[in-house]
Amino acid sequence: MGCGVTKSNQFNKHSRKAIRAAVLIQRWYRQYVARTEMRRRYTWHIFQSIEYSGEQAQIKLYNFLGYLMDNFTPSSNERNLISHIFRENEVCQDAEWERYFCYKNIEVPEIYSGPHLTFPLTVEQAVGLVEAFRNKKQLHSRYVLQLLLETWRQLRMLPNISRISTCQSKEITICGDLHGQLEDLLLIFYKNGMPSLEKPYVFNGDFVDRGKDSIEILIILFSFLLVYPSEVHLNRGNHEDHIVNLRYGFTKEVLTKYKMHGKRILKLLQKIFSWLPLATVIDQKVLVLHGGISDITDLSILARLDRHNYVSALRPPKKRHQSSAGASIDSDFDEDVLSTNKLLQRRISLTYPKPLGTRESFQNRSLQDFSNRIKGKAVDEIEIHKRKLAILNMGTNSSEGMTQSVSSESINSDNAKDEWKQILDLLWSDPMIQDGCTPNEVRGGGCYWGPDVTEDFLNRHNLQLIIRSHECKQDGYEFCHNRKVLTLFSASNYYDVGSNRGAYVKLGPDLVPYLVQYQASSMTRELTVKQSVGRTERSALKVLREQLFAHKSDLICAFKKFDSENTGLVSLNNWASAVESVMYLGVPWRMLRGQLVTSKSTDGMIDYLEWFNELAIKGPNTDHIDQSLLETLYRHRSTVETIFRIVDTDNSGFITIEDFRQTWKLLSVYLKMEITDEAISDLAVTIDSNQDGSIDIDEFMEAFRLTDKKSRLERGRSMFMGTVNDLTKLEGDPNI
């Protein structure tokens, strides 16, 4: 009896220990999961905040340059420097466009080993292009121009909103942003099959920028569009815009890959982008568009506007105007829509400068603020002809066949502005949790719209689902607004390897979304969750350190408010408060202190001066360069490069010393700071080492890059700078 009680007690004792151990393990695991999730969230927040700040900076810069165009005399140096990006087309007649884009005089050498194309294009040729690009081959510029010309003609036959049905096939596949990541497109085709009569696709914009294979993606999509015009549908995204391409890498990619004919290719793509359809409706119930909607979005307006007039969605189209000599000046209208037998009286060009306003007035203007300055009258209005009938009746191969008339609604200033807002909202907007519709100040364009706006829009148009892209999601997709809005993003590993999955969706006749996720990198599949989160976190923290260094002077001022005795020391709480007051990122600074700051005194105080010494710059000898100018360069590096690309009118990659000076003077007005001629000269001397009187743009930007190598996040994005200390630590990491 006593022996049995003893055994029972021992059993109970062991059971309690086992239960206690299980509780401890469970508690540890829950804490581990919570910490991992927190790390994922703040890593994501860092990446996304910096990405959107880059887009906002791009829009503000374009607004500023547009303001100068509207308010400076045509002969002013500043205006001449930037005027070409606002002249959407330099040639007035379609016959001249045909000659400009002509590929027939371009010879293909015998040593060329890439794919050859004949037209009409065949399925075998389209598939051959996919395989050629998989094997890192490049399509000859003759074939590129020929393919783009055929695509341009095909797109001009299409309506603004494509309407398709699942009745013709079992399923329709919809893909989100690809952003130049060819490996993702190849993986989608491997998993789902290439476009065919039985497998239609909708590609929802943002084919280009940031990735390194944007032109290859366009060529593949355009080739399948030509082969299967009823099964392949392309929507325009906010990155199908030549102004955006200047900042985010596509312009540079094309000019690098096609040095001789790159400028013509870019000009033709500029026209193609303006002719891409704006949206797709599936079975009259599912709307597929790139960005989103607003409380004023109206599909009937979007269906009838002249989309090709909106060459850049960042600025409403202005009417053409003429000098007394009859020469066209500074047109923002697509000039190829006017033929020689169409006469249009244009408003008189602005010859007297308007007050530029204070410098403070430039910084925080929305797109709508600046569009209010664009006014004008149209004396004669021309009735629009149906595009498709005009092309078919006149013949697509003749100049008359490509001649279009101008819509009276587009000519009208108020209507043009209303139409522009419709397109801007469609390409740039994001959904939000709260009801209502507010300006999207994070991106700088479009709006945030809530569930109530979605409900009203779907009811008004008798729809049941909106599929949109435009936002990177960790799982490649995300439902919101009671599952009536689906965000779809197809570029996996977007911020860094392991940062996110890509996804595409398949819709059958029941219109129930079937989602497929993937990650294109084999390295990702080999990493554990801990390794993947750790790798992405390190990349985000490196970018964050770069941003902290770029705001050094502002941070020191913030620290000194807590350091009244100039000891160079602040407490952890004060350090966190000061950093947030400058950066406005909303990340857990106290928790990140261990990863961001290694120098601290024995009493736990942070030596902020020593902290900045840790963020050492690796670059040219800059001791003799004005430090405020240097910090400006590091902080606004991408904006500086964008202006250089604009100033480089012949796309040679070089600008003169005088253009270099003008660029910095323009930048000084935009950034509200004084930059002396002496400081600019010192900077020019540092870069022009061979003293040939010109600046190599790539060498200049590389010289002031603080990392040895572009991060995955930096590819054409806002300015990201690394540190020697960061790189040294990461080089020894086996996971990198």
Side-chain angles (χ1 to χ4, degrees):
M1 184 76 175
C3 182
V5 172
T6 302
K7 288 183 177 179
S8 176
N9 290 338
Q10 288 177 341
F11 176 78
N12 291 336
K13 186 177 180 181
H14 287 308
S15 296
R16 285 194 297 271
K17 285 184 178 179
I19 292 172
R20 192 180 299 119
V23 170
L24 288 173
I25 292 172
Q26 188 180 56
R27 185 181 302 165
W28 171 86
Y29 178 73
R30 285 175 176 171
Q31 290 175 345
Y32 167 77
V33 171
R35 285 195 301 269
T36 302
E37 181 59 24
M38 181 175 289
R39 291 167 64 193
R40 281 170 59 94
R41 286 187 181 184
Y42 74 63
T43 296
W44 193 259
H45 188 70
I46 291 169
F47 279 140
Q48 208 161 53
S49 296
I50 294 173
E51 177 189 6
Y52 291 169
S53 70
E55 291 185 342
Q56 188 181 84
Q58 168 70 7
I59 289 178
K60 285 182 179 179
L61 174 63
Y62 190 59
N63 288 341
F64 169 73
L65 298 179
Y67 179 78
L68 292 185
M69 284 296 300
D70 289 342
N71 292 275
F72 275 54
T73 61
S75 60
S76 67
N77 290 335
E78 293 86 351
R79 203 173 193 277
N80 291 336
L81 203 64
I82 61 174
S83 62
H84 66 283
I85 68 165
F86 295 99
R87 275 198 315 271
E88 310 290 21
N89 303 288
E90 295 88 353
V91 192
C92 293
Q93 299 179 32
D94 287 323
E96 294 179 74
W97 276 120
E98 283 286 324
R99 287 193 292 271
Y100 181 70
F101 294 137
C102 183
Y103 54 86
K104 295 179 180 178
N105 60 345
I106 303 175
E107 294 185 2
V108 180
E110 293 183 4
I111 60 171
Y112 170 70
S113 60
H116 293 262
L117 300 182
T118 57
F119 292 84
L121 213 60
T122 64
V123 179
E124 292 75 20
Q125 288 178 313
V127 173
L129 284 171
V130 175
E131 293 306 313
F133 294 150
R134 189 197 307 275
N135 295 320
K136 310 300 181 185
K137 293 190 176 181
Q138 184 171 312
L139 185 64
H140 195 274
S141 56
R142 175 192 172 99
Y143 299 129
V144 173
L145 282 168
Q146 191 171 4
L147 178 73
L148 294 182
L149 271 171
E150 294 297 325
T151 302
W152 180 33
R153 291 171 180 143
Q154 176 63 33
L155 288 174
R156 296 174 71 245
M157 304 274 288
L158 302 180
N160 294 347
I161 300 177
S162 305
R163 297 186 179 273
I164 59 178
S165 172
T166 57
C167 296
Q168 305 301 323
S169 65
K170 293 182 180 179
E171 291 176 319
I172 294 174
T173 303
I174 302 136
C175 301
D177 297 33
L178 289 166
H179 277 303
Q181 297 185 187
L182 180 61
E183 62 270 25
D184 286 297
L185 181 60
L186 296 179
L187 184 57
I188 291 170
F189 285 168
Y190 173 77
K191 293 171 71 71
N192 193 60
M194 294 191 191
S196 66
L197 294 174
E198 297 75 29
K199 199 171 291 293
Y201 274 83
V202 177
F203 294 94
N204 200 23
D206 277 14
F207 318 120
V208 302
D209 279 335
R210 294 177 173 143
K212 57 183 175 57
D213 298 313
S214 295
I215 187 65
E216 285 77 13
I217 285 179
L218 286 179
I219 290 170
I220 290 173
L221 297 185
F222 291 162
S223 65
F224 279 111
L225 172 69
L226 293 175
V227 174
Y228 299 113
S230 299
E231 284 73 36
V232 175
H233 307 275
L234 310 179
N235 290 342
R236 184 177 184 177
N238 65 306
H239 278 262
E240 278 67 64
D241 187 313
H242 69 110
I243 299 298
V244 178
N245 300 153
L246 279 169
R247 185 185 188 101
Y248 291 100
F250 181 54
T251 298
K252 183 177 178 181
E253 177 193 332
V254 172
L255 293 174
T256 301
K257 292 179 178 178
Y258 295 98
K259 292 181 172 61
M260 185 173 296
H261 302 288
K263 189 174 181 181
R264 275 200 285 175
I265 290 172
L266 284 172
K267 179 60 69 174
L268 185 48
L269 281 169
Q270 180 178 316
K271 298 180 72 62
I272 286 174
F273 287 167
S274 72
W275 278 103
L276 285 170
L278 301 174
T280 301
V281 176
I282 301 174
D283 287 351
Q284 300 182 12
K285 289 295 181 182
V286 178
L287 175 64
V288 185
L289 44 69
H290 179 72
I293 61 173
S294 71
D295 53 1
I296 65 168
T297 299
D298 189 329
L299 292 186
S300 62
I301 295 177
L302 287 167
R304 68 173 181 262
L305 58 78
D306 288 332
R307 66 182 187 270
H308 63 282
N309 287 342
Y310 301 86
V311 180
S312 173
L314 297 181
R315 182 176 166 93
K318 290 162 58 180
K319 293 162 293 301
R320 298 180 60 194
H321 44 278
Q322 253 186 348
S323 67
S324 58
S328 179
I329 300 175
D330 297 331
S331 169
D332 282 355
F333 255 139
D334 225 2
E335 295 183 5
D336 64 319
V337 301
L338 299 178
S339 63
T340 52
N341 62 336
K342 304 292 183 182
L343 299 178
L344 178 68
Q345 294 185 7
R346 306 173 181 90
R347 67 179 173 90
I348 301 174
S349 61
L350 186 63
T351 55
Y352 296 98
K354 297 178 183 177
L356 188 59
T358 62
R359 290 182 175 181
E360 288 74 10
S361 66
F362 299 134
Q363 281 303 93
N364 297 310
R365 295 295 183 95
S366 67
L367 285 169
Q368 286 85 351
D369 291 335
F370 281 86
S371 69
N372 288 336
R373 299 179 179 275
I374 302 170
K375 301 183 184 296
K377 296 180 180 178
V379 180
D380 291 339
E381 297 182 349
I382 303 174
E383 292 298 322
I384 186 171
H385 294 290
K386 295 294 183 180
R387 286 190 291 269
K388 192 169 184 176
L389 288 175
I391 294 171
L392 291 175
N393 291 339
M394 297 181 182
T396 56
N397 294 324
S398 66
S399 61
E400 293 85 357
M402 295 182 190
T403 300
Q404 303 294 316
S405 5
V406 179
S407 166
S408 60
E409 290 181 339
S410 295
I411 290 292
N412 181 275
S413 179
D414 291 335
N415 285 337
K417 183 178 174 183
D418 291 340
E419 290 178 355
W420 168 69
K421 287 181 179 178
Q422 295 275 334
I423 292 179
L424 183 68
D425 290 340
L426 182 141
L427 297 180
W428 281 87
S429 296
D430 295 307
M432 65 178 179
I433 299 173
Q434 301 84 3
D435 284 345
C437 188
T438 61
N440 192 334
E441 295 180 353
V442 175
R443 289 188 189 267
C447 71
Y448 283 115
W449 88 92
D452 59 327
V453 177
T454 294
E455 193 70 31
D456 176 68
F457 177 84
L458 294 178
N459 289 336
R460 279 191 290 114
H461 293 90
N462 195 25
L463 298 167
Q464 67 184 45
L465 177 66
I466 296 173
I467 298 179
R468 44 92 61 178
S469 303
H470 194 44
E471 284 184 285
C472 182
K473 299 297 179 182
Q474 286 188 335
D475 292 323
Y477 74 93
E478 182 179 274
F479 281 100
C480 65
H481 296 183
N482 299 317
R483 296 182 68 86
K484 293 182 178 179
V485 173
L486 169 61
T487 297
L488 190 65
F489 199 83
S490 299
S492 65
N493 308 301
Y494 181 64
Y495 293 127
D496 199 354
V497 174
S499 64
N500 67 285
R501 296 179 180 182
Y504 58 88
V505 66
K506 303 169 80 170
L507 283 181
D510 59 2
L511 299 181
V512 176
Y514 175 74
L515 288 145
V516 181
Q517 298 170 287
Y518 56 86
Q519 280 189 306
S521 173
S522 59
M523 181 187 297
T524 306
R525 295 188 285 272
E526 297 168 1
L527 297 178
T528 65
V529 173
K530 182 178 179 181
Q531 289 173 327
S532 179
V533 172
R535 179 191 175 95
T536 309
E537 181 187 38
R538 281 190 294 272
S539 179
L541 290 173
K542 181 169 75 69
V543 172
L544 184 57
R545 291 188 191 99
E546 296 162 356
Q547 290 293 302
L548 289 167
F549 177 80
H551 293 80
K552 178 179 177 180
S553 59
D554 292 340
L555 285 169
I556 288 178
C557 290
F559 290 142
K560 286 187 175 181
K561 292 179 180 178
F562 295 103
D563 181 24
S564 56
E565 298 180 3
N566 291 324
T567 62
L569 303 173
V570 293
S571 67
L572 173 58
N573 284 339
N574 290 340
W575 175 84
S577 298
V579 173
E580 178 60 24
S581 70
V582 172
M583 304 302 295
Y584 295 106
L585 289 178
V587 297
W589 296 107
R590 286 169 55 88
M591 191 177 80
L592 293 176
R593 189 264 304 161
Q595 291 100 314
L596 295 175
V597 183
T598 58
S599 60
K600 60 179 181 178
S601 63
T602 54
D603 58 356
M605 301 289 282
I606 295 176
D607 186 335
Y608 56 86
L609 296 176
E610 179 60 28
W611 178 45
F612 283 113
N613 290 334
E614 292 177 10
L615 308 178
I617 300 175
K618 184 174 183 179
N621 181 8
T622 57
D623 294 339
H624 63 290
I625 298 177
D626 181 86
Q627 290 303 300
S628 63
L629 178 61
L630 196 60
E631 186 176 337
T632 298
L633 173 57
Y634 287 127
R635 186 183 301 188
H636 301 282
R637 183 181 178 281
S638 189
T639 297
V640 173
E641 182 172 8
T642 301
I643 296 179
F644 281 158
R645 300 287 175 198
I646 292 171
V647 172
D648 179 23
T649 54
D650 61 355
N651 297 312
S652 65
F654 293 88
I655 59 174
T656 66
I657 295 292
E658 181 55 35
D659 284 345
F660 182 82
R661 295 179 193 278
Q662 291 292 335
T663 297
W664 278 97
K665 288 179 180 178
L666 198 65
L667 196 66
S668 69
V669 178
Y670 172 64
L671 298 177
K672 302 184 298 183
M673 64 178 293
E674 298 294 339
I675 302 178
T676 65
D677 288 340
E678 183 181 2
I680 297 174
S681 296
D682 289 341
L683 190 60
V685 169
T686 302
I687 300 303
D688 187 20
S689 54
N690 59 359
Q691 298 182 348
D692 64 349
S694 63
I695 302 291
D696 184 319
I697 298 174
D698 288 332
E699 284 187 9
F700 178 85
M701 302 317 299
E702 289 299 320
F704 288 93
R705 184 187 305 286
L706 301 186
T707 55
D708 292 334
K709 186 178 180 180
K710 277 190 178 182
S711 69
R712 195 176 183 89
L713 179 61
E714 186 187 3
R715 296 170 303 183
R717 253 165 253 204
S718 56
M719 178 213 66
F720 306 109
M721 302 142 300
T723 64
V724 177
N725 204 23
D726 293 334
L727 294 170
T728 304
K729 291 177 183 176
L730 292 175
E731 282 174 354
D733 191 320
N735 293 323
I736 302 299

